[in-house]
């Protein structure tokens, strides 16, 4: 069968799956799966035969993990979802991230309140990862407006980076056994110390597998008194960070995405810091082709005025075709495609429920 | 004490976790907590959908004995009688 592009779109009202041929002209939509229940995280694991996972987090009935082995035509709940031990005292609030592990059946899961879980059986059973979940800092982290969430898991062999809001960036060098805060240069605008050891409101971290020492971070920016702390880069596996925000209309935003073939190419969606909407009502994705030294606005095909949506932390992704397309979903239920690396934008779907996450894969 | 069974009504979204049944007949019940304990043993996914990891009723669910709303602290205190019906309902919500 020829290559297809599959999108998983997690919304406030369930998961949608969109599928297209390699030309990415028309996308066919199916769903919602887990109907009526918010989906904040999805994973398309296509290292082997493709498997799709999605969280399904009901405010009434609690957490589930959905799993599909037929490219999202049907989903079944895994046998269990991550849950805190009964004597832990914490109660699961949301599932924010599902990522692959090293082995075929291995998964990692970031949750709210900020903790990490591990599964080695395709998500049928889960174990709390003590190294971060019981970290000395854990009881000192504070929730942001979105809750106290472990939302980003970036793996690099036995090294693992975590993004926690508001906890900051933590890194493990031993496959998730132990973690250390690594936030040198990561600023915070909401505490007296502008550069605390931990407690930053990290929004997203991205890495390219060809340059694993380099990381990009969308941090919580938008502070008039502490400018530039919102978009950051590290060249030493996250030990030190520096600003690459110069040239952006705002250093506030949520997602950050790296081009699949070029670690120097990185994308952000600047938002106005106070309202978290498109600056001036004019949406645009910004692309750097030199690792953050300069930025170019990409908005051809987008509204030129009166557009005030928000793009959340997991709501932008890029496919791995020869000429990759970007995808982002909005809190107003639009799914946009940016063909040719974001040069030309079109709205694929304009009336979905509010979009929490978008994942793209070529299968 | 006389031994009796109690009907436990299941909201539609949770019937997938108890073989599609709208009602379970729970034997030898004494109070609502004893029903939940039995469900935890026999239908763990149903139980986990009603109670969180700490064993408390989920925040947006309401448990009734007949037409009386029961708080979490009363689960072990309410003495059930023959013919009582216990049910779980989703709290009303919007959005």
């Amino acid at each position: 069968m020829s290559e297809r592009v599959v999108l998983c779109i997690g919304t406030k009202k369930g998961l949608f799956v969109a599928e297209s041929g390699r030309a990415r002209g028309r996308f066919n939509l199916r769903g919602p799966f887990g109907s009526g229940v918010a989906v904040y995280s999805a994973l398309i694991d296509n290292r082997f035969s493709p498997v799709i996972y999605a969280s399904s987090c009901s405010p009434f009935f609690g957490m589930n993990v959905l799993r599909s082995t037929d490219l999202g035509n049907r989903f079944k709940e895994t046998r269990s979802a991550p849950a805190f031990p009964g004597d832990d005292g914490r109660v699961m609030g949301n599932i924010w991230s599902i990522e692959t592990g090293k082995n075929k059946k291995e998964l990692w899961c970031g949750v709210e309140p900020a903790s990490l879980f591990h599964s080695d059986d395709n998500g049928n059973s889960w174990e709390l990862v003590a190294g971060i979940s019981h970290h000395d800092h854990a009881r000192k982290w504070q929730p942001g407006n979105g809750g106290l969430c472990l939302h980003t898991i970036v793996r690099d062999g036995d090294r693992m980076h975590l993004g926690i809001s508001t906890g900051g960036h933590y890194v493990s060098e031993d496959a998730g056994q132990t973690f250390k805060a690594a936030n040198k240069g990561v600023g915070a605008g909401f505490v007296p110390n502008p550069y605390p050891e931990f407690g930053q409101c990290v929004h997203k971290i991205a890495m390219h597998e060809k340059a694993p020492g380099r990381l990009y971070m969308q941090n919580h920016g938008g502070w008039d008194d502490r400018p530039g702390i919102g978009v950051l880069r590290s060249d030493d596996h996250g030990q030190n960070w520096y600003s690459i925000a110069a040239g952006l209309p705002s250093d506030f935003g949520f997602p950050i995405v790296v081009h699949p073939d070029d670690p120097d190419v990185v994308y952000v969606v600047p938002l106005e810091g106070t309202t978290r909407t498109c600056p001036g009502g004019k949406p645009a994705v910004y692309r750097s082709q030199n690792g953050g030294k300069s930025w170019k606005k990409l908005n051809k095909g987008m509204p030129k005025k009166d557009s005030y949506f928000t793009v959340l932390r997991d709501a932008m992704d890029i496919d791995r075709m020869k000429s990759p397309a970007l995808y982002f979903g909005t809190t107003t239920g639009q799914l946009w495609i940016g063909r040719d690396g974001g040069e030309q934008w079109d709205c694929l779907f304009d009336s979905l429920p509010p979009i929490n996450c978008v994942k793209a894969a070529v299968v | 004490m006389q031994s009796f069974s109690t009907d436990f009504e299941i909201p539609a979204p949770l019937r997938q976790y108890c073989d599609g049944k709208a009602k379970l007949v729970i034997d030898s019940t004494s109070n609502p907590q004893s029903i939940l304990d039995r469900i935890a043993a026999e239908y763990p996914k149903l139980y986990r959908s009603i109670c969180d990891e700490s064993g408390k009723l989920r925040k947006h669910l309401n448990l009734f004995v007949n037409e009386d709303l029961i708080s979490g602290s009363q689960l072990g205190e309410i003495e059930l009688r023959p013919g009582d019906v216990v049910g779980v309902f989703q709290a009303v919500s919007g959005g």
Side-chain angles (χ1 to χ4, degrees), chain A residues 12-327:
Chain A
K12 185 179 178 182
K13 300 296 182 183
L15 179 75
F16 293 85
V17 178
E19 185 173 335
S20 173
R22 58 182 298 127
R24 292 157 292 179
R26 174 185 170 81
F27 279 77
N28 294 312
L29 190 72
R30 48 186 179 267
F33 302 98
S35 186
V37 177
V39 173
Y40 280 81
S41 58
L43 166 68
I44 307 171
D45 180 5
N46 62 349
R47 296 173 301 162
F48 308 98
S49 181
V51 182
I52 297 175
Y53 296 89
S55 62
S56 181
C57 300
S58 167
F60 299 102
F61 306 124
M63 307 297 126
N64 277 303
V65 175
L66 308 178
R67 183 172 184 267
S68 171
T69 56
D70 62 1
L71 279 183
N73 285 288
R74 289 168 298 176
F75 282 84
K76 285 185 175 179
E77 294 174 7
T78 59
R79 280 200 286 276
S80 69
F84 289 98
D87 59 357
D88 183 274
R90 289 174 288 187
V91 174
M92 193 68 63
N94 205 348
I95 295 175
W96 281 91
S97 181
I98 306 172
E99 295 295 341
T100 57
K102 186 185 293 184
N103 302 319
K104 183 177 180 180
K105 295 183 176 181
E106 189 180 0
L107 295 172
W108 298 88
C109 182
V111 308
E112 172 192 347
S115 294
L116 184 67
F117 285 79
H118 178 257
S119 171
D120 57 13
D121 60 1
N122 294 318
N124 284 315
S125 64
W126 297 90
E127 186 173 354
L128 185 71
V129 178
I132 190 69
S133 306
H134 291 156
H135 196 283
D136 287 345
H137 297 167
R139 302 284 174 163
K140 300 175 183 173
W141 299 330
Q142 297 294 321
N145 190 42
L148 174 56
C149 49
L150 195 165
H151 50 69
T152 300
I153 304 166
V154 177
R155 285 187 48 253
D156 165 26
D158 282 344
R159 186 178 292 114
M160 179 185 293
H161 303 273
L162 302 179
I164 298 172
S165 176
T166 64
H169 166 244
Y170 284 76
V171 61
S172 170
E173 304 282 354
D174 54 10
Q177 296 297 306
T178 60
F179 288 85
K180 290 182 179 175
N183 296 297
K184 194 173 181 183
V186 182
F190 48 90
V191 288
N193 179 357
Y195 290 98
E197 179 191 4
F198 63 91
Q200 291 85 345
C201 187
V202 173
H203 286 182
K204 199 67 194 172
I205 299 168
M207 183 194 78
H208 193 289
E209 57 194 22
K210 290 179 184 172
R214 185 190 307 176
L215 295 166
Y216 297 101
M217 178 190 290
Q218 177 67 65
N219 188 36
H220 190 126
W223 307 101
D224 290 342
D225 294 336
R226 294 174 184 174
I229 65 173
V231 185
L232 306 172
R233 170 177 163 172
S234 170
D235 295 321
D236 56 4
H237 301 279
Q239 296 305 310
N240 295 276
W241 298 84
Y242 60 93
S243 177
I244 54 170
L248 292 169
S250 167
D251 69 338
F252 188 94
F254 290 108
I256 191 162
V257 167
V258 184
H259 190 287
D261 299 323
D262 189 343
D264 283 335
V265 180
V266 59
Y267 300 86
V268 294
V269 186
L271 300 174
E272 199 276 324
T274 304
T275 63
R276 289 92 193 274
T277 59
C278 311
K282 301 172 183 176
V285 168
Y286 278 71
R287 178 183 65 201
S288 175
Q289 294 181 297
N290 50 21
K293 292 186 179 72
S294 62
W295 297 90
K296 178 186 178 184
K297 179 163 69 174
L298 303 173
N299 67 342
K300 188 178 178 185
M302 290 188 201
K304 296 298 182 285
K305 62 177 183 177
D306 302 336
S307 190
Y308 290 92
F309 56 66
T310 303
V311 180
L312 297 176
R313 73 175 87 250
D314 254 336
M316 186 163 73
D317 202 0
I318 190 167
D319 69 34
R320 300 181 72 92
M321 298 293 279
K322 186 175 181 183
S323 176
L326 282 156
Y327 308 84

Side-chain angles (χ1 to χ4, degrees), chain A residues 9-12 271 275-278 283 303 306-312 315 328-336 347 349-357:
Chain A
I9 309 159
T11 78
K12 185 179 178 182
L271 300 174
T275 63
R276 289 92 193 274
T277 59
C278 311
D306 302 336
S307 190
Y308 290 92
F309 56 66
T310 303
V311 180
L312 297 176
F328 71 78
T330 74
T331 52
T332 49
Q334 297 175 320
L335 184 78
W336 288 83
C347 184
F349 304 104
D350 68 358
S351 299
L352 296 174
I355 294 171
N356 297 324
C357 68

